[in-house]
Amino acid sequence: MVRLPGRNETRTPRSVGPPRASQSRPPRDPDGSGGRHGVLRSVLSGRSVAGQVFLLQVVIVLLLIVAAVVSQVLQVRHDSDVEAQNRSLAVARTFANAPGTVAALRSPDPTAVLQPRAEAARKATGVDFIVVMNTKGIRYTHPKPDRIGKKFVGTIGPAVAGGTVVEHVTGTIGPLVQVVVPVKDASGTVVGLVSAGITTEHVGGAAEQTLPLMLTAAAVALALATAGTALVSRRLLRQTHGLGPYEMTRMYEHHDAVLHAVREGVLIVGADGRLLLANDEAHRLLDLPEDAERRSVLELGLDDETATLLASGRMATDEVHLVKDRLLAINQRPTDLRGGPAGSVTTLRDSTELRALSGRAEVARERLNMLYDAGVGIGTSLDVARTAEELAELAVPRFADFVTVDLFDAVLQGEEPKPGTALRRTACAGIRKDSPLYPVGERIRFVPASPQARGLTTGQSVLEPVLRDAPGWRSQHPERTAQIIEYGIHSLITVPLRAGNLVLGLANFWRAQKPEPFDAEDLALAEELVARAAVSIDNARRYTREHSMAVTLQRSLLPRSLPEQRALDIAYRYLPAQAGVGGDWFDVLPLSGARVALVVGDVVGHGLHAAATMGRLRTAVHNFSALDLPPDELLGLLDELVGRIDQDETAADGSAAITGATCLYAVYDPVSRCCSLARAGHPPPVLVHPDGRVEFPDVPAGPPLGLGGLPFETAELELAEGSRLVLYTDGLVEDRERDIDVGLEMLSDALRGTAGASPEDTCRAVLDRLPARPSDDVALIVARTRGLGDDRVAEWQVPSDPAAVSRIRSAVTRQLADWELEDLVFTTELVLSELVTNAIRHGRGPIGVRLLRDRTLICEVSDRSTTSPHLRYAATTDEGGRGLFLVAQLAERWGTRYTPEGKVIWAEQPLP
């Protein structure tokens, strides 16, 4: 049996006597010639140690020479490339910043100015080309004139944005480096591009110059190394043949000491599967018996997989085997690859600690990734519930098998939480959908002994590694907690969601599929995740509060109901924006003479300022409409008001002006079925004819409100009864994803399919094509026209003669009798007598009288005078001055409106 001694054993050489005949040195050659030739043949053959050393030295020298040549060539090429890049960049920037370049680019013929300069610069600097182009890549210069005017070949996007582009391309003149730089004017605006390039071969060539010298030096080095190696090999060959027993013994002892000192197990197994050699580390790792050598590896008590591998002798590389409690990395190679004895050599390396360290490093890396993902993925929206869902979705299944988030109801509404109230389950995520945990939306009041209640009270996280042994948790809901344990959930971490001094709720992490319970490291990770989520949830809560306040303000400023009128059938919709509160508004305003005004407007921007400004403008429109002004004059007054608001606010606090306000004002008269419209920078209205045709009337756009200096224009439309007039704000037809022209076409398509539909159905059909929560506010009014029939209108012309007043009274009395309004005869005669008498005395003819039977009885007297009567108290000695006072007392409303021909005095009486 062959056995190597242990570290504490003494080894005795097997052969210490005189060498045998086969071990004796070769006879010496007297003249040395035969010895020299023999040594040379041995060296060149490579079978001896000296020969192998010789060949190795030669190979090393050759490899060094080749490496030096390749390194030199690569270095020269790199230097050439850098030189080409630097030269091209310097030339391009110099030309781009040269005086006159910007002016030349803006000249009528940039090529005429720039082509001579570019060619002169190219020849002076040695580059291959200098190309000047516009921001779209169209060349103004080129060394070949036939390419001027064509598109530049290369990347220009970053340069157009103000950056620099460096490219390595292969052109018609070979591999080259081209650079594109922007040409900027004094304000920093990119007005053009300059590209310069040079082929790398024009700045290279150093490699070819130094290569012969290097090859010559390499040849000399090779010759010297060969000669020196031959001398050393000859000496080594002679010394090897002269080794004696002492030297061999020392070599053996050194090899043995190294074999048993290494921290890697070494096994040598023979062709018959018997263990020939095992060092100390192999004995320790495999727990081999003392008499393991010369025994079959299948009889050493190893596991079947490891024993089979050792006995097979097959090649193996870093195969991991579990041997008892150790993970061993096994490498195995046959020993007969180069004519050696049959068998195999095996090395063993203990990787247990390395695997454990790698596992812990992997866990730490995963946790860092999770924290990074939490910073990126939690808080992407300003919605409290969605932020809670993001926390739950992030932690499942990477950290926990189930995650639930419970928040106070006040937090969901944007308010500060009220301690002592119940929580609402806001989010729940898990590896399965059938868990017995409280569902989303459930109101939960935790008992004082539960971990959640302790966390809410103390503000500290609570770890329950084994839920089965946690009586406080089980007392929350005995039946449900029993179902949870039976389901397989066995460990819990509950962490309060803290934002400063506020506790917003709880995040609960549950473990079911992973058998190991939560530990202190898991608790620390859960606290870090929840801390990041709590900041986002609190931000969303604050935003919800501010948004609710703004929405409340905005809705309080919008009309809550439409006034009564019979001229139009009206339906409307208002959709708030997805984020923020806008300044869109609409209104329906009854006017004199059974007319109705429609208005829509938009203050660009979002937030409380936009909503407050909208309220001011809506109030102003209410007041201006009471003056019965034409649409263009009303927008003019509104424009002046916005200008004054801008000046006052800018002077007060330096805030931005609100010149983004737009408005469309329309007045519809049911008697003439005429609609007057004017708009200030607002999208055009849409007219849907009774037959279903859709038309965009030509209404002059006008400037937005607040710009001042430009007049507004009024367009007159005659609308058939049953026509639908559609007014809207730009949020209906324009957003970030589509242009306004596309939105108008979509609106037109939606309206084409609503022939004969009611205003309500029309609103529904239009809004069905919008997203549930648009990116901007949307205000929409659909008004279907009605006409006031001839049977409800009576008109007379009155001569400028006081005697005509009695004839008018008689005609009015007959008309009221036809309308079955005899109860209004007395007051109507008195009102018309006073108004007609005033027109005859103080106005200019012709004088007209009109009666309208609508929701009220409307009396109108018109003349060509622009002087408006004033209500006053008459003195006791005055003979007149009491008529208009009587009219104001008898009528429900009265007033004056001006027309292009004069004025109309009107009075309304309620119908009996």
Side-chain angles (χ1 to χ4, degrees), residues 61-229:
V61 172
L62 288 176
L63 289 177
L64 290 175
I65 293 172
V66 171
V69 173
V70 172
S71 174
Q72 180 67 18
V73 172
L74 292 178
Q75 182 63 38
V76 171
R77 289 183 180 178
H78 173 72
D79 293 344
S80 300
D81 185 69
V82 172
E83 174 64 20
Q85 176 179 328
N86 292 340
R87 188 185 301 179
S88 300
L89 184 61
V91 171
R93 285 180 174 172
T94 302
F95 196 91
N97 297 324
T101 301
V102 174
L105 285 170
R106 291 177 172 171
S107 66
D109 188 2
T111 300
V113 179
L114 295 173
Q115 176 68 5
R117 298 182 183 178
E119 286 302 295
R122 179 180 66 83
K123 295 175 182 178
T125 58
V127 297
D128 290 313
F129 66 87
I130 298 177
V131 175
V132 184
M133 68 201 85
N134 61 14
T135 57
K136 295 182 179 179
I138 304 303
R139 299 188 184 105
Y140 289 147
T141 70
H142 197 276
K144 296 181 180 180
D146 60 335
R147 299 188 182 181
I148 296 175
K150 297 181 180 179
K151 192 171 181 62
F152 177 73
V153 179
T155 303
I156 64 172
V160 173
T164 301
V165 179
V166 179
E167 293 184 299
H168 298 77
V169 299
T170 301
T172 56
I173 58 176
L176 55 86
V177 177
Q178 67 181 18
V179 175
V180 182
V181 299
V183 180
K184 299 181 181 179
D185 59 11
S187 65
T189 303
V190 177
V191 299
L193 306 173
V194 175
S195 176
I198 184 171
T199 56
T200 53
E201 66 179 4
H202 290 173
V203 294
E208 291 78 5
Q209 299 174 4
T210 59
L211 188 59
L213 179 60
M214 288 187 61
L215 292 176
T216 301
V220 173
L222 180 60
L224 293 176
T226 302
T229 302

Side-chain angles (χ1 to χ4, degrees), residues 673-677 685 687 697-699 715-719 725:
R673 297 195 303 277
C674 177
C675 184
S676 303
L677 305 95
L687 177 61
D698 184 14
V699 180
E716 302 283 346
L717 303 176
E718 185 173 350
L719 306 181
L725 189 64

